[in-house]
Amino acid sequence: MENSIKSLIECSEVALELKKIALNVASGGRISPSEALELYNCNELGLLGMLAFEIKKQKSGLKVFYNRNFHIEPTNVCINNCKFCSYSRKKGENGAWEMSMDEIIHKVSQYKGSRATECHIVGGVHPERDIEYYGQLIKNVKNIMPELVVKAFTAVEIEYMAQKAGLSIEGALLYLKKCGLQSIPGGGAEILDEEVRKKICPEKTTATKWLEIHQTAHKLGITTNATMLYGHVESYSDRVEHLSKLRQLQDKTGGFSAFIPLKYRKENNQLNLVGEVSLVEDLKNYAVSRIFLDNFPHIKAYWVMSGQETTRLALQFGADDIDGTVNDSTKIYSMAGAEKKPIMTVEQIQNLVRSAGLVPVERDTFYNEIK
């Protein structure tokens, strides 16, 4: 980093240990998990933001990425009973939906001729729908819009598809790839600690299996994202463990495109009494994530989850991507109390980025810039 940053650190009135960590980061060094914990526990938000923003500038300059995308959520019927989830329902329960294939085809057809570049498909783990159903879904999307990148299915969905079909994870992913799957979103990671998972999502894919599925996808040339659901019952140590596991896998494969911190939202779920963390905590989490995940090219502030104002602030704390237009096509976070009608035009996205003093850049799923 610039010598001026190092000079600011040296002149700052922070604790000596924190100053050592900051100077290490400023010199391009990798921080340890224990040092990441030190950053989480400190109250120097300005220093964290400065470091994270400098790292962001090293990786992507003043650019902030976005894309033209829409979501398909085939069903919210789910076999799991995650305590943080406001979205899932049991079959036949009030509020449950199961889109037919014809409904899905109609929805995708509405985007034909548009400049959308990505279709994001996730939903509940439906007890009756199998890998052939989802493979056909992908084929139908690609038949309508061959140029559209299909980013689909969390590791949790993929594990169930594989089990139901009697396939290995690799076999299931190869089948889906043949059908047209090109990328996998990062959902289902929550917190990659088994004790925390027992408290918040005891029926869901284990941390070990989630990592295995993403490692296998990377091996097959399928890029993925990674997430962390924060601000519920986890500790700072749990967050650091989560980030450490992601960094270790990225060292092995290099297959993660972006890391996406996802704030726990309290409405309409079983964990609502824990409340939600503050804006300061959100910004700290973005900054520490950017500082610690030195091998992740991008940190995404998912505006649908965080809201537009927090997203704008996150761009000063290490984030360099805000997702896309979305077009009011997802209910996962709106049902939990976030943006009620998640839609932003390209002009609105560009204005948001420029208001932060940064440069909006349209991208595709793989971060190729679109002129």
Side-chain angles (χ1 to χ4, degrees):
M1 294 185 185
E2 297 177 4
N3 289 331
S4 58
I5 297 296
K6 294 180 182 178
S7 297
L8 284 172
I9 295 169
E10 288 171 346
C11 295
S12 64
E13 297 181 1
V14 300
L16 180 60
E17 184 59 32
L18 184 59
K19 189 175 292 188
K20 288 179 180 177
I21 296 170
L23 286 170
N24 179 33
V25 172
S27 299
R30 167 172 278 193
I31 66 170
S32 68
S34 62
E35 290 172 326
L37 187 58
E38 185 87 15
L39 296 183
Y40 267 125
N41 281 312
C42 84
N43 294 315
E44 301 293 340
L45 188 63
L47 176 63
L48 294 178
M50 180 178 66
L51 291 171
F53 188 70
E54 287 301 316
I55 294 170
K56 172 259 179 292
K57 286 201 297 184
Q58 285 184 352
K59 292 184 178 295
S60 53
L62 296 179
K63 297 175 181 178
V64 173
F65 298 97
Y66 69 93
N67 67 345
R68 300 176 196 244
N69 63 345
F70 63 93
H71 291 226
I72 298 290
E73 295 173 356
T75 182
N76 68 338
V77 173
C78 189
I79 62 171
N80 294 315
N81 185 34
C82 301
K83 294 182 180 180
F84 58 80
C85 185
S86 309
Y87 177 81
S88 69
R89 299 290 187 273
K90 299 304 177 187
K91 190 173 176 66
E93 186 179 355
N94 185 39
W97 73 78
E98 300 171 87
M99 293 179 71
S100 69
M101 193 66 79
D102 285 343
E103 288 173 323
I104 293 169
I105 289 170
H106 175 70
K107 182 169 183 177
V108 176
S109 297
Q110 294 177 313
Y111 291 93
K112 192 170 183 178
S114 74
R115 294 175 64 185
T117 59
E118 177 183 288
C119 178
H120 183 290
I121 307 173
V122 297
V125 181
H126 195 289
E128 298 167 9
R129 293 182 174 177
D130 59 18
I131 196 168
E132 292 185 358
Y133 171 88
Y134 289 109
Q136 187 60 52
L137 190 161
I138 296 171
K139 290 177 182 178
N140 289 340
V141 172
K142 297 292 282 186
N143 284 339
I144 298 165
M145 296 180 68
E147 73 285 1
L148 202 64
V149 172
V150 175
K151 181 169 75 177
F153 315 130
T154 66
V156 182
E157 294 169 90
I158 290 166
E159 181 186 35
Y160 186 76
M161 290 182 208
Q163 289 174 348
K164 195 172 180 65
L167 294 171
S168 66
I169 295 300
E170 183 168 347
L173 286 170
L174 282 170
Y175 174 83
L176 293 170
K177 183 177 181 180
K178 186 177 180 181
C179 293
L181 178 71
Q182 294 159 278
S183 184
I184 294 173
E190 322 314 356
I191 292 292
L192 295 172
D193 175 84
E194 302 302 356
E195 292 306 311
V196 174
R197 295 177 87 80
K198 287 177 184 177
K199 296 175 184 176
I200 66 171
C201 53
E203 302 158 356
K204 186 174 263 183
T205 305
T206 65
T208 300
K209 181 60 71 172
W210 189 95
L211 291 163
E212 176 198 332
I213 291 168
H214 281 260
Q215 182 170 354
T216 305
H218 299 170
K219 171 187 170 184
L220 299 176
I222 301 171
T223 63
T224 77
N225 288 334
T227 62
M228 176 172 70
L229 184 71
Y230 70 94
H232 43 88
V233 304
E234 90 288 356
S235 66
Y236 283 154
S237 294
D238 296 325
R239 291 191 205 175
V240 171
E241 179 186 358
H242 182 102
L243 295 174
S244 296
K245 288 176 178 177
L246 294 179
R247 191 170 76 172
Q248 288 166 10
L249 181 54
Q250 183 75 332
D251 278 342
K252 291 180 183 177
T253 68
F256 287 118
S257 295
F259 173 69
I260 312 165
L262 297 174
K263 179 176 184 170
Y264 164 70
R265 293 288 190 172
K266 67 178 183 178
E267 299 300 325
N268 306 311
N269 60 64
Q270 299 173 63
L271 287 182
N272 66 317
L273 292 179
V274 307
E276 296 179 5
V277 296
S278 67
L279 172 61
V280 169
E281 189 63 36
D282 294 332
L283 298 178
K284 177 187 284 188
N285 197 54
Y286 279 112
V288 176
S289 299
R290 177 63 287 172
I291 293 165
F292 186 79
L293 294 176
D294 53 11
N295 54 5
F296 272 67
H298 305 286
I299 303 292
K300 181 186 291 189
Y302 183 42
W303 72 264
V304 173
M305 174 276 295
S306 61
Q308 295 182 30
E309 181 56 26
T310 298
T311 296
R312 187 181 67 81
L313 293 171
L315 299 180
Q316 304 297 325
F317 285 79
D320 72 339
D321 185 278
I322 66 170
D323 200 72
T325 49
V326 180
N327 201 35
D328 195 18
S329 56
T330 176
K331 298 180 181 179
I332 293 174
Y333 271 94
S334 60
M335 291 171 73
E339 293 272 348
K340 296 303 181 186
K341 283 185 69 67
I343 178 170
M344 275 210 288
T345 65
V346 168
E347 183 180 13
Q348 287 171 325
I349 288 173
Q350 292 175 342
N351 288 340
L352 183 151
V353 173
R354 290 184 180 123
S355 72
L358 299 167
V359 180
V361 176
E362 185 176 354
R363 61 163 176 85
D364 65 12
T365 302
F366 311 108
Y367 286 88
N368 298 307
E369 295 184 18
I370 297 175
K371 304 297 183 184

